[in-house]
Amino acid sequence: MGLGEKWYEIREAYRKIVDVYERANKIVTLGNVDRWRREALSLYYSVNGRSVLKILDAGAGPGNMAHHLRGTRYLVAFDASIEMLRLNNVADDRVVGMFEQMPFRDGSFDLLISGYAFHASVNLEKAAAEFSRVANYQVVVAIGKPDRRVARCLVLAYAKFVVPRVVCIVAPRQICREYGKIYEIMASLPPNSRIRQIISRYAHIVQYREKGLGSVYIYVAKSRNHA
């Protein structure tokens, strides 16, 4: 369950949109993209207020989510896109790789953060297992698929017909077409309730919220491997 072979096509799209990534995301989310990152981390700090020593930023990109961390001592940026990592000036180290096969030992990190990346996994089950294996806590913001039929139809229509057009405000036409891949990602996803079931096999969800009619979800979870 996940993108499967489509992952390679999506990775190529991320490579092409790197220069307009954050500006386009602000438009697509109606200005909420960064606010939801901050909200996710605030939920974590409300559960665990201690300073975090070791953090893995999974799907780090340019480091937009990591900018909102507090008291970090050591941060590793992990992403499949070399182009995205080259723009990352937040991390202490940068590692290229895939969620399903992370090159880290069990429990290497106190916290894993992931902003708008988990949905682009080749295999959601394996990615969820790896997130819990390498870190004690995880804070994730990701694209979702609403459980309610009406909301799901609205969200998919927005992704398919509106997103590629509004992105043209800040991007060339050829880049706008790449944002049509958001629809492909959403179409490949199981409903949010199914995602929660997958995550719960490997971690105890302590906070969960949905945004934008369920087009985005936020969760904080504690790994069952390190309970």
Side-chain angles (χ1 to χ4, degrees):
M1 190 179 300
L3 288 175
E5 291 299 318
K6 287 185 179 180
W7 181 84
Y8 298 97
E9 181 182 341
I10 300 301
R11 182 180 63 172
E12 181 65 13
Y14 274 103
R15 186 184 68 79
K16 293 177 180 178
I17 67 175
V18 61
D19 291 334
V20 300
Y21 178 75
E22 190 65 2
R23 283 177 292 157
N25 287 344
K26 287 179 181 177
I27 292 174
V28 168
T29 63
L30 306 179
N32 286 304
V33 61
D34 216 35
R35 184 164 69 87
W36 290 338
R37 292 187 187 110
R38 292 195 303 270
E39 182 175 341
L41 286 168
S42 293
L43 286 175
Y44 168 74
Y45 290 123
S46 71
V47 172
N48 189 341
R50 294 177 299 172
S51 295
V52 184
L53 299 181
K54 296 182 293 183
I55 296 181
L56 176 66
D57 191 351
N64 295 312
M65 190 161 178
H67 280 293
H68 304 295
L69 289 167
R70 304 175 195 166
T72 306
R73 299 288 183 87
Y74 177 67
L75 174 67
V76 176
F78 182 77
D79 204 295
S81 170
I82 295 175
E83 290 78 12
M84 287 283 189
L85 286 178
R86 284 174 180 159
L87 298 179
N88 193 308
N89 60 4
V90 184
D92 298 291
D93 283 311
R94 298 160 188 80
V95 179
V96 178
M98 298 170 62
F99 291 162
E100 293 77 10
Q101 293 179 317
M102 290 186 168
F104 308 111
R105 294 180 180 179
D106 295 0
S108 294
F109 301 93
D110 301 306
L111 173 65
L112 176 149
I113 63 173
S114 182
Y116 305 100
F118 179 62
H119 50 258
S121 302
V122 176
N123 185 301
L124 291 165
E125 183 95 29
K126 289 182 179 179
E130 283 290 87
F131 278 19
S132 292
R133 181 184 67 80
V134 302
N136 187 23
Y137 275 93
Q138 52 191 278
V139 179
V140 175
V141 187
I143 291 174
K145 181 187 283 185
D147 287 282
R148 293 175 296 166
R149 183 178 178 183
V150 173
R152 184 163 62 246
C153 290
L154 288 172
V155 165
L156 287 171
Y158 179 76
K160 186 172 185 179
F161 300 111
V162 179
V163 167
R165 289 169 173 80
V166 299
V167 168
C168 287
I169 297 172
V170 296
R173 187 170 298 276
Q174 64 269 25
I175 298 299
C176 298
R177 288 196 294 267
E178 298 302 326
Y179 267 81
K181 301 295 194 306
I182 291 178
Y183 170 77
E184 295 182 28
I185 291 173
M186 281 187 164
S188 72
L189 289 171
N192 292 340
S193 58
R194 179 69 176 130
I195 293 287
R196 290 188 68 175
Q197 290 175 1
I198 292 171
I199 295 164
S200 295
R201 291 194 190 112
Y202 308 98
H204 172 61
I205 298 175
V206 294
Q207 292 279 1
Y208 178 87
R209 294 180 182 178
E210 293 187 3
K211 302 293 179 178
L213 298 177
S215 61
V216 169
Y217 59 85
I218 297 169
Y219 76 83
V220 177
K222 181 172 174 57
S223 171
R224 295 188 187 279
N225 294 333
H226 317 298

